[in-house]
Amino acid sequence: MKSVYIFLISLIFISPCFLYSQKETDSTKTIKFSERIPAELQLEVKVKYVGAIGYADCFRGNVLKVNKGVLTDTSIMITIAAGDTVNLNLLSGIMENEVLILSLVFNKSNEKYPTTYVTGFVDSNKNSWRIIHIRKKQF
C-alpha cells in the first residue's frame, strides 16, 4: 500500500513536468544569436524625405556602402520615430548629394510590417535595425 501511495504522489509531481516538456513551442519568435550575427551595421547612405506615416517620418535611403556587418539591400525605408527631433532635424537638413553614415544595432526579427516603430529600418529579411548614431561623411 505504501508503494502505491508513493507511486501516486510521484505521478502527481512528475506528470505536469512531462506534459510541459511535450508541448509544442513556436520557435519563430525565438531569436537565436547566430541568426542575427552581426548584431551591428554601419552604412553609408544618401537619403530623401518621402513622407509621414502617423508615428514616424520616412526617408528613402540609397545604400552606397556597408562598412560593418552584412546587408544585401540597396534601398531601405528609414523611419524616424515621432519625438526623435534630433535625428529628424539632421535628416531633414541634409543636401541631396550628402552622404550619411548610419550606425545601427539589431532590434527584432520577424517584423510584420516593412516599417518599424523605432528610429531605424526593416531589411528584406524582416529584421529591424535601430539607429544609434548618424553623422555626415567627411570627404
Side-chain angles (χ1 to χ4, degrees):
M1 181 70 176
K2 187 175 183 180
S3 61
V4 171
Y5 181 74
I6 291 173
F7 174 75
L8 288 175
I9 294 295
S10 300
L11 189 60
I12 289 171
F13 287 109
I14 294 174
S15 337
C17 295
F18 177 78
L19 291 174
Y20 182 77
S21 70
Q22 298 301 312
K23 120 180 155 165
E24 275 192 40
T25 57
D26 181 9
S27 64
T28 59
K29 294 181 181 176
T30 304
I31 302 169
K32 297 180 178 95
F33 186 73
S34 62
E35 293 175 349
R36 59 184 171 123
I37 292 175
E40 296 180 28
L41 284 176
Q42 187 182 71
L43 309 174
E44 292 183 20
V45 298
K46 287 185 179 180
V47 298
K48 181 179 180 182
Y49 183 76
V50 293
I53 55 174
Y55 60 86
D57 285 279
C58 298
F59 294 81
R60 174 71 56 200
N62 180 22
V63 180
L64 305 173
K65 185 177 176 185
V66 178
N67 294 334
K68 183 177 184 180
V70 178
L71 181 72
T72 57
D73 300 12
T74 57
S75 180
I76 56 176
M77 179 64 70
I78 301 167
T79 56
I80 304 297
D84 187 352
T85 56
V86 172
N87 287 323
L88 178 60
N89 290 338
L90 180 61
L91 266 64
S92 296
I94 214 73
M95 297 297 188
E96 187 175 327
N97 287 323
E98 286 186 289
V99 176
L100 294 175
I101 298 177
L102 306 180
S103 297
L104 306 106
V105 292
F106 176 83
N107 184 60
K108 183 180 170 187
S109 63
N110 300 317
E111 288 284 358
K112 294 180 183 179
Y113 305 105
T115 56
T116 180
Y117 292 104
V118 298
T119 294
F121 74 95
V122 177
D123 66 22
S124 59
N125 294 320
K126 297 186 178 183
N127 295 312
S128 61
W129 297 89
R130 184 172 41 87
I131 295 174
I132 56 172
H133 186 70
I134 301 174
R135 66 180 169 91
K136 291 181 185 179
K137 182 175 182 177
Q138 303 297 321
F139 290 96

